[in-house]
Structure formats: C-alpha cells, structure tokens
Amino acid sequence: MRDPATSQELFARARDAMPGGVSSPVRAFGAVGGSPLFVQRAEGARIYDVDGNDFLDYVMSWGPLILGHAHAATVAAIAEQASRGTSFGAPHLAELELAETVRGVYPGVERVRFTSSGTEAVQSAVRLARAATGRSHIVKFEGCYHGHGDGMLVAAGSGAITLGQPSSAGVPADIAGLTLVLGLDDVTPLRALMRGRGGEVAAIVVEPMPANNGLLLQRPEFLQAIRELATDHGALVLFDEVISGFRVARGGAAELYGVEPDLVTFGKILGGGVPCGAFAGRSELMEQLAPNGPTYHAGTLSGNPLAMVAGLETIRALADGRVYGELEELGARMEEGVARIVRDGGFPVRLVREGSVFWLSFSADQPPRRADQIPEGAAEPYAKFFRGCLSRGVCLAPSAFEVGFLSAAHRPADIDETVDVFAAALRDAFA
Ligand code: PLP
C-alpha cells in the first residue's frame, strides 16, 4: 500500500470543516485508528483512493450496492434520468413502478410510501403505528439499530455501539422512556412485558436479521413469537429491513424466515446507491397517512427520480434469483476459506453469515444471538486485523460491530485473495 499522505492531508482539512471530518461517525476510523481513505472512485468490487491505492471492498457503501460499485446499467439509468430531470416534486412513472415492484415481492405489502433515508422511514412507520393503535410505547431490542431518530437511539447498534454510546445525548428522557428495550432471542421477558404493558405498546420493532451489532442471527421461532405476542395484545410488528430487504431474498427476511410483519421499512438496496428509504404495509394501515388520513409524512425529495430508477434497475437485476445463487456461492467460499485458516492458525474467530452478509466474530464461542453475548475485548484484535487487511488491499468496515457485504461484482478469485489476506492479518492480530 502506498503512503496514504493525501488522504491524511484531506482528513486534517475535513476535521476543520466538519465535526470529526465526516458526515457519519463510523467513517472517521475512530475505533480502528489511522486516517480514513478519501475515495476517488469505485468500480465493481474495488475502491480507489486519492493516493493511488486500490482495495477489494466489503463495505459496499454499507449495503446498498448488491450489484457492485458503478454497476453499468444502474449508472446508465441514473444518467438518462438526470438528463430528463433530477427532481420533480411531483408523481412520476419510475416511482409508481418501484412501489408496484415492492408490493409484488414483499409479503403482505399493499401500499408503499417513499422517504429519503432509512432513518426517516422508521420514524414515520413508528408514527403510523402509534396513530393506528392509539398507543405511545414501542418495544425494541438491544443492539438493533433503526437509524438516528430520537426514540430509536436507545440501546442502539451500528455507530452508536462502535463509539460506546448506545444512547445519545439530546434525547429527552420522556422520549427515551417510550422505548422499552429487551434482549434478543428470549421470549420470556417479551411475554412478561406484553402481559403487563401490552396495552401500551404500539409496535414491536425489530431487525429480523440484526446486522448492526455484529450479525446476531435469530431463530425463526423468536420472530414468530414476536408476531404472535403482538397480535395477541393488539400491537403491530415493524420489521426494519433496511439492511435485509432485497439482500437476503427478494422478499427480505420476512420471506427467508416465513414471518410477516404489519409494517416494514426499507433503505439501502431500494435506492440502488442513491439516497432512499420507504415504509410499507397493508392498505388499511398505510391509508391512514396524509393526504388520505390524519398521520403526517412528507418529503421534498421523497420518491426522487434518480433513486427510483437506480432502485428499479437494481431490483430488476435480482428478479430471476440468479444473483442470490451466485452470492450464496461466494459466501460459502469465504466461509470455507475462513474455517480453514482459522483451523490451521488456531485463531479464536468465526465467520457468521447469512447469504451475502458476513461478520467476523472475534470469539471461538458459538455465534452470538444477543448483543450481550459478544465478548468484551473483541474490538482490540479487530482493530489490528482491520489494519492488516487494509494494508494488504482489503477494505472492511472500520468497526468490530459492523458486517461486511458481498456483491455480484465480487469474483471467486477475489474471495480467495481475501481469505489469504485474512490469514496474514489474523497472524498480525494475534501475534
Ligand atoms: N435501520 C437499519 C436496520 C439500518 O441498518 C440503518 C442504517 O444503517 C437504518 C435503519 C438507518 O438508515 P439510514 O442510514 O439510511 O438513515
């Protein structure tokens, strides 16, 4: 790797102009040390920095780029749309087509409302759940991340957990108090809570595939129990599929696990790499939104044409299932490779994976299903491992708690190269 001098210079300048030098905290490399790369361009499975280095990328913009960077058909659709207008603030065909596409693939969805981010989608879906049930509280699970809306920054994952701040300053206690937090993978406390306070709960909110505090794969029975307890107590189930939507199957984790929520939120892949989110559900709920109902949601750039065409192009490419098959093969190849190097080197590490989402758990224990099962102290060897990977041309998320993403642009040879880099970086980490 060449000296990242230009990135370092730019980062020093950025810190003078932007808090922490970044627009989103994890990007600052605070948990792994060093200076973030300033990216010049990206193509396929690779990113290129301003110092002339290139890297095999497994961050993939934190999930949207299931087809890879600068996917040709997606770029062409964006360029073509841009020449016809970048924003209308009025209905247009691509928006309708994407709404119909979502409705056609996600279980139980009859109406879709677009937003500009996943955070906004969750906030608005929670408001709708409160309006529809006439209740104030929500249940969320420790380590799940649902964007940075006030009530969601309670025991949150992602950047919040990376920085050791699972809750945020500036969230009034009255608002935080409306969020009831439970651990994942345990039905007993959920049952007790719903028995005692179920009448106050508007929605049980969960990432059906929790991927923001490591990858805490859930048993389908736990999701089914959430479904049943919510129904029994008149609460709604909100699946936050901002990561898992279109990623683990066309119908997201709902299809994968066979559990249907009342409301669902999307982001990331839905916009094909352009800012986008959505919330969706049955018509009787969604029709309670303005202008038809009393629950307000709006957005200057909601349903933005660039995002709609990029999302359409991306989701169309997933239609025949071929990409999911290829991603599964790549994932299995990485899993086998990591199992081999871990066995040979005796490293206390496991690869946890669902399809094209993977996480290196820095522990030899069974893969955790709850945030509190992740051993303390994993962050330190991860930071060394991360730097070892980066110096050898493999870019992972700069946090022990964030997952990695495979894309259709990764090739089997990329995976083999990555496994070799992992082996060397693990030797560094545990030297
Ligand atoms: N929900 C989940 C599950 C997420 O992973 C994220 C972001 O990573 C969000 C919500 C927030 O989405 P955004 O960053 O687009 O606001």
Side-chain angles (χ1 to χ4, degrees), residues 117-120 122 145-148 158 207 212 240-243 268 276:
S117 69
T119 295
E120 237 186 282
V122 173
Y145 179 67
H146 303 292
H148 58 275
S158 192
E207 282 180 78
N212 278 292
D240 182 349
E241 298 235 31
V242 166
I243 286 183
K268 305 209 188 244
C276 184

PDB file of all heavy atoms in Angstrom, residues 117-120 122 145-148 158 207 212 240-243 268 276, ligand 1:
ATOM      1  N   SER A 117     -34.352   8.374   3.451  1.00  0.00           N
ATOM      2  CA  SER A 117     -33.369   7.575   4.202  1.00  0.00           C
ATOM      3  C   SER A 117     -34.102   6.517   5.015  1.00  0.00           C
ATOM      4  O   SER A 117     -35.328   6.593   5.201  1.00  0.00           O
ATOM      5  CB  SER A 117     -32.566   8.472   5.157  1.00  0.00           C
ATOM      6  OG  SER A 117     -33.410   8.933   6.200  1.00  0.00           O
ATOM      7  N   GLY A 118     -33.328   5.580   5.527  1.00  0.00           N
ATOM      8  CA  GLY A 118     -33.896   4.556   6.399  1.00  0.00           C
ATOM      9  C   GLY A 118     -34.371   5.152   7.713  1.00  0.00           C
ATOM     10  O   GLY A 118     -35.409   4.750   8.253  1.00  0.00           O
ATOM     11  N   THR A 119     -33.618   6.109   8.233  1.00  0.00           N
ATOM     12  CA  THR A 119     -33.996   6.766   9.492  1.00  0.00           C
ATOM     13  C   THR A 119     -35.401   7.342   9.394  1.00  0.00           C
ATOM     14  O   THR A 119     -36.255   7.128  10.263  1.00  0.00           O
ATOM     15  CB  THR A 119     -32.992   7.902   9.802  1.00  0.00           C
ATOM     16  OG1 THR A 119     -31.718   7.329  10.032  1.00  0.00           O
ATOM     17  CG2 THR A 119     -33.415   8.728  11.004  1.00  0.00           C
ATOM     18  N   GLU A 120     -35.608   8.074   8.314  1.00  0.00           N
ATOM     19  CA  GLU A 120     -36.910   8.708   8.098  1.00  0.00           C
ATOM     20  C   GLU A 120     -38.021   7.663   7.949  1.00  0.00           C
ATOM     21  O   GLU A 120     -39.143   7.867   8.427  1.00  0.00           O
ATOM     22  CB  GLU A 120     -36.811   9.423   6.754  1.00  0.00           C
ATOM     23  CG  GLU A 120     -37.083  10.866   6.735  1.00  0.00           C
ATOM     24  CD  GLU A 120     -37.077  11.283   5.279  1.00  0.00           C
ATOM     25  OE1 GLU A 120     -35.959  11.420   4.708  1.00  0.00           O
ATOM     26  OE2 GLU A 120     -38.152  11.449   4.720  1.00  0.00           O
ATOM     27  N   VAL A 122     -38.167   4.695   9.305  1.00  0.00           N
ATOM     28  CA  VAL A 122     -38.503   4.126  10.614  1.00  0.00           C
ATOM     29  C   VAL A 122     -39.308   5.121  11.438  1.00  0.00           C
ATOM     30  O   VAL A 122     -40.332   4.770  12.043  1.00  0.00           O
ATOM     31  CB  VAL A 122     -37.212   3.703  11.373  1.00  0.00           C
ATOM     32  CG1 VAL A 122     -37.542   3.278  12.796  1.00  0.00           C
ATOM     33  CG2 VAL A 122     -36.495   2.580  10.632  1.00  0.00           C
ATOM     34  N   TYR A 145     -30.284  -1.468  15.421  1.00  0.00           N
ATOM     35  CA  TYR A 145     -30.163  -0.055  15.015  1.00  0.00           C
ATOM     36  C   TYR A 145     -31.284   0.250  14.052  1.00  0.00           C
ATOM     37  O   TYR A 145     -31.529  -0.503  13.107  1.00  0.00           O
ATOM     38  CB  TYR A 145     -28.807   0.175  14.344  1.00  0.00           C
ATOM     39  CG  TYR A 145     -28.587   1.600  13.872  1.00  0.00           C
ATOM     40  CD1 TYR A 145     -28.476   2.645  14.792  1.00  0.00           C
ATOM     41  CD2 TYR A 145     -28.492   1.904  12.516  1.00  0.00           C
ATOM     42  CE1 TYR A 145     -28.268   3.951  14.371  1.00  0.00           C
ATOM     43  CE2 TYR A 145     -28.280   3.206  12.094  1.00  0.00           C
ATOM     44  CZ  TYR A 145     -28.176   4.225  13.016  1.00  0.00           C
ATOM     45  OH  TYR A 145     -27.972   5.527  12.591  1.00  0.00           O
ATOM     46  N   HIS A 146     -31.967   1.340  14.329  1.00  0.00           N
ATOM     47  CA  HIS A 146     -33.082   1.721  13.466  1.00  0.00           C
ATOM     48  C   HIS A 146     -32.952   3.167  13.023  1.00  0.00           C
ATOM     49  O   HIS A 146     -33.941   3.894  12.936  1.00  0.00           O
ATOM     50  CB  HIS A 146     -34.405   1.498  14.211  1.00  0.00           C
ATOM     51  CG  HIS A 146     -34.591   0.093  14.699  1.00  0.00           C
ATOM     52  ND1 HIS A 146     -34.774  -0.969  13.834  1.00  0.00           N
ATOM     53  CD2 HIS A 146     -34.586  -0.444  15.949  1.00  0.00           C
ATOM     54  CE1 HIS A 146     -34.897  -2.082  14.544  1.00  0.00           C
ATOM     55  NE2 HIS A 146     -34.781  -1.790  15.820  1.00  0.00           N
ATOM     56  N   GLY A 147     -31.708   3.601  12.756  1.00  0.00           N
ATOM     57  CA  GLY A 147     -31.495   4.982  12.361  1.00  0.00           C
ATOM     58  C   GLY A 147     -31.380   5.874  13.574  1.00  0.00           C
ATOM     59  O   GLY A 147     -31.405   5.412  14.718  1.00  0.00           O
ATOM     60  N   HIS A 148     -31.248   7.174  13.312  1.00  0.00           N
ATOM     61  CA  HIS A 148     -30.894   8.071  14.418  1.00  0.00           C
ATOM     62  C   HIS A 148     -32.055   8.953  14.880  1.00  0.00           C
ATOM     63  O   HIS A 148     -31.847  10.035  15.434  1.00  0.00           O
ATOM     64  CB  HIS A 148     -29.671   8.910  14.035  1.00  0.00           C
ATOM     65  CG  HIS A 148     -29.862   9.735  12.801  1.00  0.00           C
ATOM     66  ND1 HIS A 148     -29.656   9.234  11.538  1.00  0.00           N
ATOM     67  CD2 HIS A 148     -30.267  10.995  12.642  1.00  0.00           C
ATOM     68  CE1 HIS A 148     -29.925  10.176  10.653  1.00  0.00           C
ATOM     69  NE2 HIS A 148     -30.301  11.251  11.292  1.00  0.00           N
ATOM     70  N   SER A 158     -24.768  -0.267  15.528  1.00  0.00           N
ATOM     71  CA  SER A 158     -24.061   0.467  14.475  1.00  0.00           C
ATOM     72  C   SER A 158     -23.082   1.473  15.080  1.00  0.00           C
ATOM     73  O   SER A 158     -22.383   1.168  16.032  1.00  0.00           O
ATOM     74  CB  SER A 158     -25.058   1.136  13.522  1.00  0.00           C
ATOM     75  OG  SER A 158     -24.375   1.602  12.377  1.00  0.00           O
ATOM     76  N   GLU A 207     -35.031  -5.602  13.840  1.00  0.00           N
ATOM     77  CA  GLU A 207     -34.330  -6.013  12.620  1.00  0.00           C
ATOM     78  C   GLU A 207     -34.488  -7.535  12.590  1.00  0.00           C
ATOM     79  O   GLU A 207     -33.905  -8.222  13.441  1.00  0.00           O
ATOM     80  CB  GLU A 207     -32.840  -5.726  12.719  1.00  0.00           C
ATOM     81  CG  GLU A 207     -32.370  -4.324  12.519  1.00  0.00           C
ATOM     82  CD  GLU A 207     -30.839  -4.275  12.673  1.00  0.00           C
ATOM     83  OE1 GLU A 207     -30.122  -4.660  11.741  1.00  0.00           O
ATOM     84  OE2 GLU A 207     -30.362  -3.865  13.737  1.00  0.00           O
ATOM     85  N   ASN A 212     -26.403  -4.896  12.996  1.00  0.00           N
ATOM     86  CA  ASN A 212     -25.768  -3.641  13.378  1.00  0.00           C
ATOM     87  C   ASN A 212     -25.021  -3.738  14.699  1.00  0.00           C
ATOM     88  O   ASN A 212     -24.576  -2.727  15.243  1.00  0.00           O
ATOM     89  CB  ASN A 212     -26.818  -2.529  13.477  1.00  0.00           C
ATOM     90  CG  ASN A 212     -27.132  -1.940  12.108  1.00  0.00           C
ATOM     91  OD1 ASN A 212     -26.289  -1.281  11.507  1.00  0.00           O
ATOM     92  ND2 ASN A 212     -28.333  -2.193  11.598  1.00  0.00           N
ATOM     93  N   ASP A 240     -37.690  -3.919  10.505  1.00  0.00           N
ATOM     94  CA  ASP A 240     -36.787  -2.960   9.888  1.00  0.00           C
ATOM     95  C   ASP A 240     -35.871  -3.754   8.949  1.00  0.00           C
ATOM     96  O   ASP A 240     -34.926  -4.407   9.390  1.00  0.00           O
ATOM     97  CB  ASP A 240     -35.992  -2.231  10.972  1.00  0.00           C
ATOM     98  CG  ASP A 240     -35.075  -1.175  10.381  1.00  0.00           C
ATOM     99  OD1 ASP A 240     -34.912  -1.151   9.138  1.00  0.00           O
ATOM    100  OD2 ASP A 240     -34.512  -0.392  11.157  1.00  0.00           O
ATOM    101  N   GLU A 241     -36.190  -3.676   7.676  1.00  0.00           N
ATOM    102  CA  GLU A 241     -35.430  -4.448   6.666  1.00  0.00           C
ATOM    103  C   GLU A 241     -34.543  -3.516   5.844  1.00  0.00           C
ATOM    104  O   GLU A 241     -34.294  -3.769   4.658  1.00  0.00           O
ATOM    105  CB  GLU A 241     -36.401  -5.232   5.766  1.00  0.00           C
ATOM    106  CG  GLU A 241     -37.238  -6.265   6.537  1.00  0.00           C
ATOM    107  CD  GLU A 241     -37.116  -7.665   5.976  1.00  0.00           C
ATOM    108  OE1 GLU A 241     -36.045  -8.014   5.441  1.00  0.00           O
ATOM    109  OE2 GLU A 241     -38.111  -8.411   6.080  1.00  0.00           O
ATOM    110  N   VAL A 242     -34.050  -2.460   6.486  1.00  0.00           N
ATOM    111  CA  VAL A 242     -33.183  -1.523   5.758  1.00  0.00           C
ATOM    112  C   VAL A 242     -31.938  -2.253   5.228  1.00  0.00           C
ATOM    113  O   VAL A 242     -31.500  -1.999   4.106  1.00  0.00           O
ATOM    114  CB  VAL A 242     -32.832  -0.304   6.644  1.00  0.00           C
ATOM    115  CG1 VAL A 242     -31.674   0.490   6.061  1.00  0.00           C
ATOM    116  CG2 VAL A 242     -34.063   0.603   6.802  1.00  0.00           C
ATOM    117  N   ILE A 243     -31.385  -3.175   6.014  1.00  0.00           N
ATOM    118  CA  ILE A 243     -30.255  -3.980   5.512  1.00  0.00           C
ATOM    119  C   ILE A 243     -30.741  -5.237   4.797  1.00  0.00           C
ATOM    120  O   ILE A 243     -30.317  -5.546   3.692  1.00  0.00           O
ATOM    121  CB  ILE A 243     -29.297  -4.367   6.662  1.00  0.00           C
ATOM    122  CG1 ILE A 243     -28.473  -3.146   7.087  1.00  0.00           C
ATOM    123  CG2 ILE A 243     -28.361  -5.516   6.238  1.00  0.00           C
ATOM    124  CD1 ILE A 243     -27.441  -3.409   8.163  1.00  0.00           C
ATOM    125  N   LYS A 268     -31.239   1.557   1.705  1.00  0.00           N
ATOM    126  CA  LYS A 268     -30.088   0.900   1.071  1.00  0.00           C
ATOM    127  C   LYS A 268     -30.391   0.373  -0.339  1.00  0.00           C
ATOM    128  O   LYS A 268     -30.496   1.161  -1.268  1.00  0.00           O
ATOM    129  CB  LYS A 268     -29.551  -0.186   2.001  1.00  0.00           C
ATOM    130  CG  LYS A 268     -29.213   0.412   3.402  1.00  0.00           C
ATOM    131  CD  LYS A 268     -28.135  -0.276   4.129  1.00  0.00           C
ATOM    132  CE  LYS A 268     -27.999   0.233   5.558  1.00  0.00           C
ATOM    133  NZ  LYS A 268     -26.769   0.870   5.868  1.00  0.00           N
ATOM    134  N   CYS A 276     -32.403   6.961  -0.336  1.00  0.00           N
ATOM    135  CA  CYS A 276     -33.767   6.457  -0.496  1.00  0.00           C
ATOM    136  C   CYS A 276     -34.171   5.626   0.712  1.00  0.00           C
ATOM    137  O   CYS A 276     -33.336   4.998   1.349  1.00  0.00           O
ATOM    138  CB  CYS A 276     -33.812   5.552  -1.733  1.00  0.00           C
ATOM    139  SG  CYS A 276     -35.451   4.930  -2.127  1.00  0.00           S
TER     140      CYS A 276
HETATM  141  N1  PLP B   1     -32.359   0.600  10.015  1.00  0.00           N
HETATM  142  C1  PLP B   1     -31.340  -0.241   9.843  1.00  0.00           C
HETATM  143  C2  PLP B   1     -31.550  -1.704  10.106  1.00  0.00           C
HETATM  144  C3  PLP B   1     -30.109   0.223   9.396  1.00  0.00           C
HETATM  145  O1  PLP B   1     -29.088  -0.630   9.243  1.00  0.00           O
HETATM  146  C4  PLP B   1     -29.958   1.601   9.128  1.00  0.00           C
HETATM  147  C5  PLP B   1     -28.667   2.141   8.676  1.00  0.00           C
HETATM  148  O2  PLP B   1     -27.665   1.503   8.656  1.00  0.00           O
HETATM  149  C6  PLP B   1     -31.055   2.446   9.316  1.00  0.00           C
HETATM  150  C7  PLP B   1     -32.247   1.919   9.762  1.00  0.00           C
HETATM  151  C8  PLP B   1     -30.936   3.908   9.023  1.00  0.00           C
HETATM  152  O3  PLP B   1     -30.856   4.110   7.653  1.00  0.00           O
HETATM  153  P1  PLP B   1     -30.161   5.443   7.083  1.00  0.00           P
HETATM  154  O4  PLP B   1     -28.714   5.349   7.441  1.00  0.00           O
HETATM  155  O5  PLP B   1     -30.454   5.397   5.614  1.00  0.00           O
HETATM  156  O6  PLP B   1     -30.847   6.589   7.747  1.00  0.00           O
END
